[in-house]
């Protein structure tokens, strides 16, 4: 690979980074050494924090006061604040858990020697040998620490959960000169011209550029995104506002709902030897007229919108003596369709934007 790069020194090479969004890491600002492994977007260590914060008097006061203020001002930002809740898949309370439980990180924060970053920030830092430290608006907006209305880190949320603003990286445009890959890595200095979250990049790649365009990605989880134009949309049921991308003066906003277990549920069934591959799973499901009342709840990482229960467990229901693994496989596949239907119906109910196009992608498609 290095020889090929060196042979094409005159060819214009560019790097675009589009990783998982809510997975994060913290590291020593001086040495670049990480304090812990990546904390995945499906990590459940902050479940109790999420429950306690969402049930807290502070959150109840925030919601009620913002509802009153919204009544008089009709501010969209206050309306969003009145609906705000923490979720387990946002980085915010998982980061708060790290700050509360890892002494090494606590000490580094006190010495202003700690960096936080989602995977894009970490890769940028490593590829540039520590010379660049930043994220973009699309990745920042997925952390639960960002205010999409003010387009900056939220002072309110960070102060509520005791996350220092000094810990968070500068936020840049999605298309931006992020420096170059250090020449020692590939033999040539390759410019890094964009950072973007995986679902936002899928939205862009599917050409969902118009208000009302919808993208459904079915991978490890399911992510349903709708282009809401220039205005963030926050719903009661669990669709949350994101920045799709910011290129120059153009800001495109999305609303997103997700189900945490799609491909992961299929992989689990395969590991149990219910089937060997996708072709066999399809054949087994089609061999039955229906699942005979057997249902599967795909919630290895809780249930997201519209139920928003991080403690929900995966389960089969309706099992009978006549149930065999064909019924189980069909129930698992049907559960994906049911979750997609739930998300789509909630999107139509709570986001009053006519759907213009629906594009689907991901490894499960």
């Amino acid at each position: 690979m290095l020889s090929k790069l060196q042979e094409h020194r005159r060819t214009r090479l560019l790097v675009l980074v589009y990783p998982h969004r809510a997975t994060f890491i913290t590291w020593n600002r001086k040495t670049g050494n990480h304090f812990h492994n990546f904390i995945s977007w499906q990590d459940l260590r902050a479940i109790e924090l999420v429950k306690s914060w969402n049930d807290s008097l502070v959150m109840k006061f925030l919601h009620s006061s913002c509802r009153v203020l919204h009544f008089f001002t009709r501010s969209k930002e206050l309306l969003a604040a009145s609906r705000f809740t923490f979720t387990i898949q946002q980085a915010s309370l998982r980061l708060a858990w790290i700050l509360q439980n890892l002494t090494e990180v606590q000490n580094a924060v006190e010495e202003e020697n700690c960096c936080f970053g989602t995977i894009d920030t970490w890769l940028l830092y490593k590829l540039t040998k520590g010379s660049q430290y930043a994220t973009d608006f699309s990745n920042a907006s997925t952390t639960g620490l960002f205010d999409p209305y003010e387009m900056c880190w939220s002072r309110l949320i960070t102060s509520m959960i005791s996350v220092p603003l000094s810990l968070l990286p500068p936020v840049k445009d999605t298309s931006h000169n992020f420096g170059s890959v250090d020449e020692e890595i590939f033999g040539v200095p390759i410019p890094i011209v964009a950072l973007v979250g995986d679902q936002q990049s899928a939205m862009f790649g599917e050409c969902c550029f118009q208000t009302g365009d919808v993208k459904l990605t079915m991978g490890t989880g399911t992510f349903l995104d709708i282009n809401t134009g220039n205005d963030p949309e926050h719903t009661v049921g669990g669709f949350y506002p994101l920045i799709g991308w910011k290129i120059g003066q153009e800001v495109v906003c999305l609303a997103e709902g997700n189900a945490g277990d799609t491909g992961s549920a299929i992989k689990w069934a395969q590991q149990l030897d219910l089937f060997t591959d996708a072709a066999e799973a399809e054949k087994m499901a089609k061999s039955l007229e229906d699942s005979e009342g057997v249902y599967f709840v795909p919630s290895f990482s809780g249930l997201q919108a519209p139920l928003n229960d991080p403690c929900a467990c995966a389960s089969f229901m309706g099992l009978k003596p006549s149930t065999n693994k064909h019924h189980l496989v069909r129930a698992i596949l049907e559960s994906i369709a049911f979750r997609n239907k739930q998300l789509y119906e909630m999107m139509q109910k709570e986001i009053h934007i006519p759907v213009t196009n629906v594009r689907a992608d991901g490894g499960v498609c």
Side-chain angles (χ1 to χ4, degrees), residues 53 58-59 62 84 86 155-163:
W53 265 108
V58 173
M59 196 66 89
L62 175 67
F84 175 80
F86 290 104
R155 290 184 177 273
L156 174 62
I157 296 172
T158 54
S159 62
M160 279 172 58
I161 63 175
S162 301
V163 171

Side-chain angles (χ1 to χ4, degrees), residues 281-294:
E282 180 182 11
K283 183 178 179 181
M284 292 171 71
K286 285 184 173 180
S287 69
L288 304 171
E289 290 187 9
D290 55 48
S291 63
E292 291 189 6
V294 177

Side-chain angles (χ1 to χ4, degrees), residues 205-218:
E206 293 285 6
C207 299
C208 295
F209 302 136
Q210 304 303 315
T211 301
D213 285 350
V214 171
K215 183 271 310 173
L216 175 69
T217 295
M218 290 181 286

Side-chain angles (χ1 to χ4, degrees), residues 20 22-24 36-50 87-95 97-98 101 220 260-261 300-302 304 310:
H20 288 172
T23 297
F24 73 87
H36 51 81
N37 293 332
F38 282 109
I39 308 298
S40 162
W41 64 279
Q42 289 188 309
D43 189 282
L44 299 177
R45 73 187 66 201
I47 275 184
E48 293 305 319
L49 270 180
V50 170
T87 72
I88 194 63
Q89 292 181 319
Q90 294 168 336
S92 53
L93 287 181
R94 284 182 283 122
L95 175 59
W97 188 96
I98 292 293
N101 291 276
T220 303
D261 294 289
F300 294 112
S301 53
Q304 295 72 43

Side-chain angles (χ1 to χ4, degrees), residues 214-216 222-226 239 255-258 343-344 347:
V214 171
K215 183 271 310 173
L216 175 69
T222 290
F223 294 85
L224 184 66
D225 296 84
I226 181 169
F239 268 71
E256 181 177 280
N258 80 291
L343 289 172
Y344 188 81
M347 180 186 72

Side-chain angles (χ1 to χ4, degrees), residues 99-259:
L99 294 174
Q100 292 173 15
N101 291 276
L102 296 190
T103 304
E104 192 177 10
V105 177
Q106 294 169 359
N107 294 338
V109 169
E110 289 174 4
E111 297 166 3
E112 295 189 354
N113 187 34
C114 185
C115 292
F116 159 85
T118 44
I119 297 179
D120 61 300
T121 303
W122 171 251
L123 287 176
L124 177 66
Y125 186 86
K126 288 297 184 180
L127 289 171
T128 61
K129 296 289 185 74
S131 67
Q132 298 292 324
Y133 176 55
T135 188
D136 91 298
F137 287 97
S138 71
N139 283 288
S141 67
T142 65
T143 61
L145 298 165
F146 189 81
D147 185 340
Y149 295 88
E150 296 295 328
M151 294 291 284
C152 63
W153 297 114
S154 170
R155 290 184 177 273
L156 174 62
I157 296 172
T158 54
S159 62
M160 279 172 58
I161 63 175
S162 301
V163 171
L165 282 171
S166 61
L167 185 63
L168 306 176
V171 185
K172 306 294 185 182
D173 282 10
T174 303
S175 178
H176 178 77
N177 178 11
F178 289 98
S180 297
V181 177
D182 190 275
E183 189 171 354
E184 291 183 4
I185 297 177
F186 294 122
V188 290
I190 307 173
I192 302 173
V193 297
L195 302 179
V196 61
D198 57 352
Q199 299 307 320
Q200 289 95 324
S201 67
M203 202 66 180
F204 196 96
E206 293 285 6
C207 299
C208 295
F209 302 136
Q210 304 303 315
T211 301
D213 285 350
V214 171
K215 183 271 310 173
L216 175 69
T217 295
M218 290 181 286
T220 303
T222 290
F223 294 85
L224 184 66
D225 296 84
I226 181 169
N227 185 323
T228 62
N230 304 123
D231 298 316
E233 293 275 345
H234 205 133
T235 72
V236 175
F239 268 71
Y240 41 89
L242 298 177
I243 305 302
W245 51 85
K246 183 177 185 295
I247 303 175
Q249 297 302 309
E250 180 193 29
V251 178
V252 173
C253 298
L254 313 178
E256 181 177 280
N258 80 291

